């Protein structure tokens, strides 16, 4: 790349569209040029692409659904504003000078806002007004720029919609550059609306011509990130707008990340009195995440899975760092891509039918890889000796077994998620949320190890055995509903059993109605467990209750309750195995935590340190590899300087450092017998100075005035 | 006063024969909504028969001098002349083009609202405008909310004719407000309503615009018993009893723009006396990511604690620090009164790592959270954007806010604040 510029500097070269295409092609070739052969690579690439497309479309639908409510109310607001403005009503005339403003509370997950705003402006364009412009704070440093943005945004969109001649467009541009004031916009708006009102009656509704002037579409200005705007600029803009509001039906939408009091901080009363602010609350990002997880992770329909560790890394990035669902999705995408790229057996990670078909097409290499899988090895060990031999040698037999195993894996997933949901509905209402408030936490616990061996699970079951009837029945009904919707034989069975239990509860109700038993009344006080007790007290009461129960004869309800709990327990024990127990689980589960962390939660400082202390890590040069703590003298200068500086105290004598450096470097160049060994020549001196200034640039040393010819160290550690 | 000034001004305008010159520049000042613009604009409308050429412009709108010149030229001579201006015109360009046009046959008026903004424009603009009459028969009228003394440039200038619009008295306010009466009710009733309204609001607000707004908003509530037929128009006491608590409520909510006027109307329709609607300032809770909370806490500590006390708060084995030395009398309790102090990034991170539970890797997302806190205006960057190494920040949140945040992460911030020790 070259520029015509005479001066030195950084230049931006935008890639031409031609090059983009080339990249697209090469994306696939990454998959092809690896060990597993081109065909499987292609297949995996396609699978990966399909899955990602599925995720993308489904997230869009999901987002639309989630934002529907708030968007609807916003649209309603904007419609109301545009209509009420023109009403002849006395009161609305009196306050017509206010600019209707929607304050949209979006939460601090700023990266997600773009999606919301784009769908919002699309919706507005479709249903309310063609005149929508979104502003970002970084584009509007001064009032001039803000006005320019508004004018350009509004007028350009219309140019694009109406397909005006280029000459007109050019003229428009000239005009804009001459004076960008709202007067221009006003004139333009009046011309536009006149034109369209002349056009429409003929086409659409000739009967409502009288309504036409009332239905003037508002001009919507969206401030995407209100906090980042310069308050002065915003105030001036609002002041200007209020002068035109009678001629130009303006409407503002403020995107607020923190709290609505920001408006009061930014705008003085004289300005905010010009606005008619209404608050809209969008749903919280945690709820959003919960729905996303529900949709993509807690379902058997989506073949790609995450292991507990990867999932918890993604979730903790979300909760600890950014609250951004978009970034979570990006993490999911990364895991997906990595899985299909790095795991050749991921051809089997797809829908059941396709997976079975792919299993028949596996070649010898793939089958060998299957034999290497730890989960498969465990499976083989469980078989008889004869079977073991055939599995390890006979390819066609292995293919058949593979198909069988894939089927069981799919069945496992089909049963796992409904059972998980049932367990969650039953336990989420328990005090102290022993198994987590969110289903995601329960899922993580189940992935980690056998859930029934965990202490929390056992105490949850104990609590369940003490639940009052009303609550228990309600949650059991919900469970039955969950199970009913599943198309699986075992789940159908379970559902039937559950419904039978529910039936018996009802019969019990009837029986109790006829003759209220006495021991019910006696038992009721301990059932009302105090909701907030500490664990110790809870345990004590539990123990007491257990003992009292043993001593007493159980009521029919209690018997039934125990039976129900046993049933749930049995369900859990038969279906909620962790995935590691399943043979071939590696096909579907992505487990490389280190890669995900490395890509999503980069730590620049650690990388710098690694690069300086083990240069071979990044240079991939084996000759630089050394034992612990030492450094090859052929390493880059900065690494040597870094290594030497680690051995110094807080102040480093530059001359000593130089001497040491020269000694190390000469070891690489000449044999130690020569006179020049360890001598500092000009080249070495220059190299050393460069290395030191690079270290200074990286922030390891800085010059100091405390002592001549010394530099100060800025890091701790070393000697 | 308003009428007096109005008639006075109109008479003055009429008395000028076309060839007479008006005073070169007039400076009109008075509080917001004291009728300045109204008098001027209305006089031009009222004296339409004189056909006084005038240009009215607001200085807020004139982002650049170019826009100002252009608007003036456009309203006097039309678009063609305005387009003669070069791309970034100077005062000379303006004068040149103005001179090229035919001289005025009668006085032209340039009215500039919000003239206080002219002080921020080029230094030569205001003096030139004041003596624009040397060019032609032109009068510049400046409208401002502040007094002339703050305008006077260092180099001196032509002194304009000063005209003060005093605030309206209560009686005047009542007269003016009574003018926009509801068409379906009698004028007496409306003026009675206005007097009630003034009785409540006059002590807090004398802004005519605001009062008008409030009058419009609450009138429907006032009329409610009338519409239902419970009360007659003459039964003033009952009407007063009905509306008074309502107005008091309005003073706390809608007047402060805690609740928008639209919501206020809806509330009236729903008749919910409990005030279920929360105002804007009621929503102060901000949900933040876990580490952002701790970063904010660390920033708050760094802003309000003197740097020398960090050792005492955050070092496990800080050794003995003499109590007298530690608690300097004059320094204590003043930090919160003085406001947040700037601190470098290093200090923020050092405190962050010592307050946060467990080990946190110094990842890129920690740093990006700091900058997103800056864009959310919870932190403020003090040093210039260009300064890449050791940027300085200030914490921009209140004590109450930080207490709420630290409560959610079980961190007792009061223990770490020097002022409250």
């Amino acid at each position: 790349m070259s520029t015509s510029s005479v001066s030195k500097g950084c230049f931006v070269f935008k890639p031409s569209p031609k090059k983009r295409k080339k990249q697209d092609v090469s994306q696939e070739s990454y998959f092809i040029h690896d060990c597993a052969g081109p065909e499987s690579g292609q297949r995996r690439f396609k699978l990966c692409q399909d899955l990602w497309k599925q995720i993308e479309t489904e997230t869009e639908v999901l987002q639309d659904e989630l934002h529907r409510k708030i968007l609807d109310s916003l649209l309603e607001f904007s419609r109301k504003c545009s209509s009420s403005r023109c009403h002849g009503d006395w009161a609305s005339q009196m306050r017509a000078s206010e600019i209707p403003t929607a304050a949209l509370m979006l939460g601090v997950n700023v990266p997600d806002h773009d999606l919301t705003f784009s769908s919002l402006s699309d919706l507005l364009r479709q249903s309310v007004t063609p005149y929508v412009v979104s502003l970002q704070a970084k584009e509007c440093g001064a009032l001039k720029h803000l006005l320019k943005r508004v004018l350009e945004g509004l007028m350009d969109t219309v140019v694009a919609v109406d397909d005006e001649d280029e000459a007109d467009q050019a003229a428009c541009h000239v005009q804009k550059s001459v004076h960008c004031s709202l007067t221009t916009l006003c004139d333009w708006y009046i011309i536009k609306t006149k034109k369209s009102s002349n056009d429409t009656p003929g086409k659409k509704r000739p009967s409502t011509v009288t309504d036409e002037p009332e239905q003037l579409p508002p001009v919507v200005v969206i401030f995407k990130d209100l906090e980042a705007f310069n308050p002065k600029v915003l105030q001036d803009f609002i002041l200007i707008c209020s002068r035109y509001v009678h001629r130009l039906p303006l409407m503002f939408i403020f995107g607020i990340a923190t709290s609505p009091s920001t408006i009061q901080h930014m705008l003085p009363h004289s300005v905010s009195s010009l606005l008619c602010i209404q608050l809209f609350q969008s749903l919280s990002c945690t709820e959003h995440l919960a729905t996303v997880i529900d949709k993509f992770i807690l379902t058997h329909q989506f073949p790609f899975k995450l292991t507990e560790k990867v999932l918890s890394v993604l979730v903790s990035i979300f909760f600890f760092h950014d609250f951004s669902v978009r970034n979570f999705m990006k993490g999911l995408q990364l895991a997906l891509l990595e899985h299909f790229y790095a795991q050749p057996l991921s051809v089997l990670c797809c829908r059941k039918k396709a997976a079975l078909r792919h299993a028949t097409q596996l070649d010898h290499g793939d089958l060998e890889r299957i034999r290497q899988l730890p989960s498969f090895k465990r499976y083989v060990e469980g078989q008889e000796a004869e079977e073991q031999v055939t599995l390890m040698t006979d390819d066609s037999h292995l293919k058949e077994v593979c198909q069988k195993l894939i089927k069981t894996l799919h069945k496992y997933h089909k049963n796992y998620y409904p059972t998980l949901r049932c367990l969650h509905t039953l336990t989420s209402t328990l005090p102290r949320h022993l198994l987590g408030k969110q289903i995601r936490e329960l899922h993580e616990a189940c992935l980690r190890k056998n859930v029934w061996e965990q202490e929390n699970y056992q105490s949850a079951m104990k609590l369940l055995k003490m639940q009052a009837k009303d609550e228990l029945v309600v949650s059991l009904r919900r469970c039955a509903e969950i199970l009913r919707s599943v198309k699986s034989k075992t789940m159908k069975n379970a559902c039937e059993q559950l419904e039978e239990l529910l039936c018996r509860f009802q019969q019990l109700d009837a029986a109790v109605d006829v003759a209220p038993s006495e021991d019910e009344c006696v038992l009721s006080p301990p059932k009302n467990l105090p909701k907030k007790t500490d664990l110790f007290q809870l345990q004590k009461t539990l123990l007491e209750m257990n003992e009292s129960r043993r001593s007493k004869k159980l009521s029919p309800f209690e018997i039934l309750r125990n039976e129900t709990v046993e049933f749930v327990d049995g369900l859990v024990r038969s279906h909620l195995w962790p995935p590691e127990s399943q043979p071939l689980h590696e096909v579907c589960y992505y487990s490389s935590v280190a890669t995900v962390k490395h890509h999503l939660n980069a730590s620049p400082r650690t990388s710098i340190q690694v690069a300086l202390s083990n240069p071979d890590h990044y240079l991939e040069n084996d000759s630089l590899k050394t034992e612990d703590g030492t450094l090859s003298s052929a390493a880059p200068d900065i690494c040597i300087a870094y290594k030497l500086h680690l051995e110094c105290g807080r102040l480093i004598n530059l001359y000593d450092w130089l001497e040491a450096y020269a000694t190390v470097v000469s070891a690489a160049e000449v044999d130690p017998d020569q006179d020049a060994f360890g001598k500092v020549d000009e080249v070495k001196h220059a190299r050393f100075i460069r290395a030191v200034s690079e270290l200074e640039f990286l922030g390891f040393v800085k010059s100091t005035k405390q002592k001549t010819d010394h530099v100060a160290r800025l890091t701790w550690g070393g000697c | 006063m308003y009428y007096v000034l109005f008639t006075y001004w109109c008479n003055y305008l009429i008395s000028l024969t076309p060839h007479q010159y008006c005073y070169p520049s007039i400076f009109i000042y008075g509080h917001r909504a004291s009728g300045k613009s109204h008098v001027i604009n209305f006089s031009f409308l009222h004296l339409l028969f004189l056909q006084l050429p005038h240009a009215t412009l607001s200085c807020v709108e004139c982002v650049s001098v170019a826009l100002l010149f252009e608007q003036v030229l456009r309203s006097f001579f039309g678009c063609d002349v305005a387009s003669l201006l070069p791309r970034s015109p100077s005062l000379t360009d303006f004068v040149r083009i103005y001179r090229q046009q035919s001289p005025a046959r009668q006085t032209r008026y340039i009215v500039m609202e919000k003239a206080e903004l002219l002080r921020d424009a080029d230094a030569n603009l205001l003096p030139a405008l004041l003596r624009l009459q040397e060019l032609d028969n032109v009068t510049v009228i400046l409208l401002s909310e502040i007094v002339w003394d703050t305008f006077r440039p260092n180099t001196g200038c032509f002194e304009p004719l000063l005209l003060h619009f005093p605030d309206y008295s209560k009686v005047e306010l009542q007269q003016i407000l009574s003018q926009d009466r509801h068409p379906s009710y009698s004028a007496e009733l409306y003026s009675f309503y206005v007097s009630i309204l003034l009785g409540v609001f006059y002590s807090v607000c004398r802004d005519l615009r605001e009062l008008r707004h409030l009058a419009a908003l609450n009138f429907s509530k006032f009329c409610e018993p009338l519409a239902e037929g419970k009360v007659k128009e003459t039964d003033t006491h009952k009407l007063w009893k009905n509306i008074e608590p309502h107005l008091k409520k309005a003073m706390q909510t809608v007047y402060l723009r805690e609740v928008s006027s639209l919501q206020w109307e809806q509330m009236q329709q729903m008749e919910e006396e409990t005030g279920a609607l929360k105002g804007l300032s009621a929503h102060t809770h901000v949900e933040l990511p876990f580490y952002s909370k701790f970063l904010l806490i660390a920033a708050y500590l760094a802003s309000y604690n003197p740097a020398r006390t960090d050792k005492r708060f955050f070092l496990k084995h800080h050794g003995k620090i003499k109590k007298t030395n530690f608690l300097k009398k004059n320094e204590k309790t003043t930090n919160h009164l003085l406001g947040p102090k700037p601190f470098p990034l290093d200090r923020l991170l050092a405190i962050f790592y010592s307050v946060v539970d467990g080990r946190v890797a110094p990842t890129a997302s920690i740093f990006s959270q700091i900058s997103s806190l800056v864009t959310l205006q919870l932190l403020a960057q003090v040093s210039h954007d260009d300064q890449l190494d050791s940027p300085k920040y200030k914490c921009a949140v209140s004590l109450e806010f930080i207490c709420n945040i630290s409560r959610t992460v079980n961190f007792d911030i009061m223990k770490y604040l020097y002022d409250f020790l």
Side-chain angles (χ1 to χ4, degrees), chain B residues 296-368:
Chain B
L296 203 57
I297 290 171
Y300 192 85
L301 293 175
S303 256
Y304 286 97
N305 281 349
R308 62 183 180 80
T309 60
D310 283 355
K311 210 174 165 189
R312 151 79 177 72
F313 284 122
F314 305 112
L315 226 57
K316 263 195 189 129
H317 309 289
H318 50 75
K320 272 204 176 153
I321 296 173
K322 270 186 193 163
K323 230 188 179 161
T324 48
N325 196 17
F326 178 63
L327 300 171
K328 275 185 189 159
K329 263 280 148 48
N330 55 348
E331 208 178 27
K332 197 159 159 61
T333 69
T334 53
N335 290 313
H336 273 81
L337 295 176
L338 290 173
K341 292 193 182 63
F343 53 85
L345 178 67
D346 301 342
R347 194 172 157 222
L348 170 70
L349 286 175
I351 296 178
F352 169 70
Y353 286 122
S354 67
V355 292
V356 76
D357 307 328
R359 277 170 56 95
V360 187
T363 56
S365 48
I366 296 282
F367 291 100
S368 76

Side-chain angles (χ1 to χ4, degrees), chain A residues 80 90 94-95 98 108 179 227 243-244 257 259-260 264 269 273 276-277 279 319-321 323 601-602, chain B residues 58 61 70 113 182 213 216 255 257-258 260-261 265-266 283 287-288 290-291 363-365 369 376-377:
Chain A
K80 207 193 285 167
W90 177 81
M94 291 295 290
R95 54 169 185 77
E98 285 189 329
V108 293
H179 51 90
E227 279 91 352
R243 283 171 53 88
Y244 287 92
S259 70
Q264 288 166 331
H269 184 251
S273 64
C276 171
I277 302 167
L279 215 59
F319 279 101
F320 285 151
H321 292 300
F323 271 175
N601 209 358
Chain B
S58 161
E61 216 175 320
E70 200 207 295
E113 291 171 13
H182 200 282
H213 174 83
Y255 167 62
R257 291 299 190 281
E258 288 273 302
S260 75
S261 46
E265 282 186 355
Q266 279 166 2
H283 301 259
E287 197 60 53
L288 284 172
F290 189 72
Y291 288 145
T363 56
S365 48
Q369 277 179 64
L376 294 177
Q377 295 201 325

Side-chain angles (χ1 to χ4, degrees), chain B residues 120-185:
Chain B
D120 305 331
D122 295 344
N124 65 354
L125 184 64
L126 184 62
L129 283 175
L130 289 173
R131 47 199 300 174
L132 209 58
Q133 195 164 69
E134 290 171 18
L135 204 67
D136 193 14
N137 189 355
V138 148
T139 293
V140 176
I141 304 173
L142 301 174
L143 306 179
S144 173
E145 286 177 26
I146 44 183
V147 291
W148 169 249
D149 294 340
T150 56
F151 279 70
R152 208 170 279 129
N154 293 334
T155 47
C157 65
F158 184 83
E159 287 289 317
L161 183 71
L162 300 186
L163 211 55
H164 179 54
F165 272 53
D167 284 348
Y168 295 120
S169 68
K170 199 170 174 181
V171 182
E172 282 164 344
L173 277 175
Q174 166 133 21
Q175 277 171 2
I176 298 166
L177 282 170
S178 304
Q179 278 181 350
D180 32 54
R181 69 181 182 91
H182 200 282
S184 47
Y185 295 94

Side-chain angles (χ1 to χ4, degrees), chain B residues 8 29 45 61 158 194 208 233 248 268 294 318 365 377 383 414:
Chain B
Y8 168 75
Y29 65 102
L45 266 181
E61 216 175 320
F158 184 83
V194 166
L208 178 64
E233 276 195 25
K248 287 231 164 106
Q268 284 178 353
F294 274 107
H318 50 75
S365 48
Q377 295 201 325
S383 56
M414 285 304 178

